[in-house]
Amino acid sequence: MALNRRTFLGRSAAAGAGAAIAGGVAATPAEAHGHGHGRPPKRYSFTVMGTTDLHGNVFNWDYFTDKEFDDKNHNDVGLAKISTLVAQVREEKGRRNTLLIDAGDTIQGTQLSYYYAKVDPITARRGPVHPMAQAMNAIGYDAAALGNHEFNYGIPVLRKFQEQCDFPLLGANALDAKTLRPAFPPYSMHRLCTPHGRDVRVAVLGLTNPGIAIWDKANVSGKMVFPGLEEQAAKWVPKLRSMGADVVIVSAHSGSSGTSSYGDQLPYVENAAGLVAEQVPGIDAILVGHAHTEIAEYVVTNKQTGKQVVLSEPLKWGQRLTLFDFDLVWERGRWSVAKVGATVLNSNTAEEDPAITRLLVDEHQKVVTYVNQVIGTSTAAMSTAEAPWKDEPIIDLISHVQVETVKAALAGGQYAALPVLSQASCFSRTAAIPSGQVTIKDAAGLYPFENTLEARLMTGAQLKDYLEYSARYYVQTPAGGPVDTAKLTNAENIPDYNYDALYGVSYEIDIAKPVGSRIAKLSYDGKPVDPAAQFVLAVNNYRASGGGAFPHVTKAQQLWSNSEEIRNTIIQWVQAKGTVDPAAFASVGWMLTRDGAPVF
């Protein structure tokens, strides 16, 4: 798949020449003089605003429930609310004294973003402009780093999105696989006009996640490579300083913890933002992304210089806006950073910007209509209400789709003859498939997360360990007494999404037994599972990459992976089948027992 060389060369040349000027009106540089005895130093302050992990959220709307977004903390989401906060900051600070950047994962995550990648794709001839590009252009973003989910829909969709953005998409460690040159602009340079004659030059270096090579292997293999963040930051930060950057900000689609969730498959750290701050001199601040956590301000001391670097990660989906406040002082003929601080603003304090909602009301309504589209029928109603303690058909549906998908992917290959099992969790206790007509919204509601599917090679012994670990979810309950389901689950505060049931084998979970010795009668095809036997496990990428810390799976051999979201695979399966009949896939493969007697 050929890269868009025109776009790459044009944008890279602009970036390389330091010509990607944004964020203010550039004045003619005039040499400001240092202060003499008794004269106060010249100072200048400006603010860099940051978002990350927007994941296709423009409106404060949940397309999977078809109603206004809300969570237990009453967070709001979307660029329409971010736009209001940005306008408030620009009004307070002065438009010319601000920049607005993003740390990636922009074009995937909601049915709004899916619709314009797959249903009415932006890549079509005379296709639409992506809603995220329209919104971010209207708000006035100055730069954005690439996230790993930018690659989910393939390079052509990403390149088209890049063309539609009025700001650069940055990725210093996204390299052309053949030339090892940047496939995207590594950085952008911005001039801020000061009252003191000499502009402030602010460099934004974009870094993305090396896990792209694993998670989107099908889309990037042979086309792009993704070396480590520390390595590329060490290469580019000195260049930016030599080009005259007074301030260097890194926008990194990488968490701050210094950990990796994909084992030793790559020699690079997934969550490397803190390591970049610690190891690479010359950085003033880092906008952190990828980890979906909120870090208002986190200070890291650089090992070489002793200088403090300020990190901040605003909460995902446009729930928060980071503010980096910089205070500069003119000394020895140049601007230097005297102080940096970071705070976050909460988008639930703001109304949606009517300019943004008006801009995209047609696109929004198209997607609302789309999610309410009937895609099939169900012969029976199914619910997750009791799925945390019973093997329910609705969870079997998820696993059945995953098994069929993996079997089709492995057909004709080396592992085609192996049994395929599947893991699935109860993500929501209120999800349901009605009897009768089934809509896209119904099917998507089973899987509210952006997980994708892969296949891992596991042994019988490893599966037993996996199930024992999963069974920690149940509170130890002695035989004989009553069972209160309200107190049975979520032991050790384990969330529902970190309890897995396996489909394709049968087993009992004895909740009277202590953790580690609860799994009994584990069998496949009516026979006890051989500890040495090999199985293929259809597993979501969150689990396979370490989410929930389940044993063995992260180091198990990956046989196949897919960039399609599981929820969209379920939708497509229902569309293809036309009828959902639990009799075709549901079975009681597992049950809770106490000393061998069924609990329910």
Side-chain angles (χ1 to χ4, degrees), residues 400-449:
H400 182 70
V401 172
Q402 293 183 165
V403 166
E404 284 202 350
T405 304
V406 168
K407 281 183 176 179
L410 299 181
Q414 179 182 355
Y415 302 98
L418 290 180
V420 179
L421 313 179
S422 172
Q423 61 79 223
S425 303
C426 176
F427 294 123
S428 166
R429 298 192 185 194
T430 60
I433 297 289
S435 177
Q437 291 186 333
V438 178
T439 65
I440 286 176
K441 176 185 66 180
D442 296 325
L446 290 181
Y447 219 105
F449 296 108

Side-chain angles (χ1 to χ4, degrees), residues 274-328:
L275 297 175
V276 171
E278 184 180 81
Q279 297 175 14
V280 181
I283 298 169
D284 296 296
I286 300 180
L287 178 65
V288 178
H290 182 61
H292 288 204
T293 57
E294 181 178 346
I295 303 172
E297 184 181 69
Y298 173 46
V299 178
V300 174
T301 301
N302 185 269
K303 283 186 174 180
Q304 293 187 38
T305 64
K307 180 182 174 181
Q308 291 191 325
V309 184
V310 176
L311 287 71
S312 181
E313 180 176 6
L315 197 57
K316 64 185 185 298
W317 305 347
Q319 294 178 51
R320 303 289 186 272
L321 176 70
T322 278
L323 305 185
F324 290 106
D325 290 310
F326 288 85
D327 294 329
L328 275 60

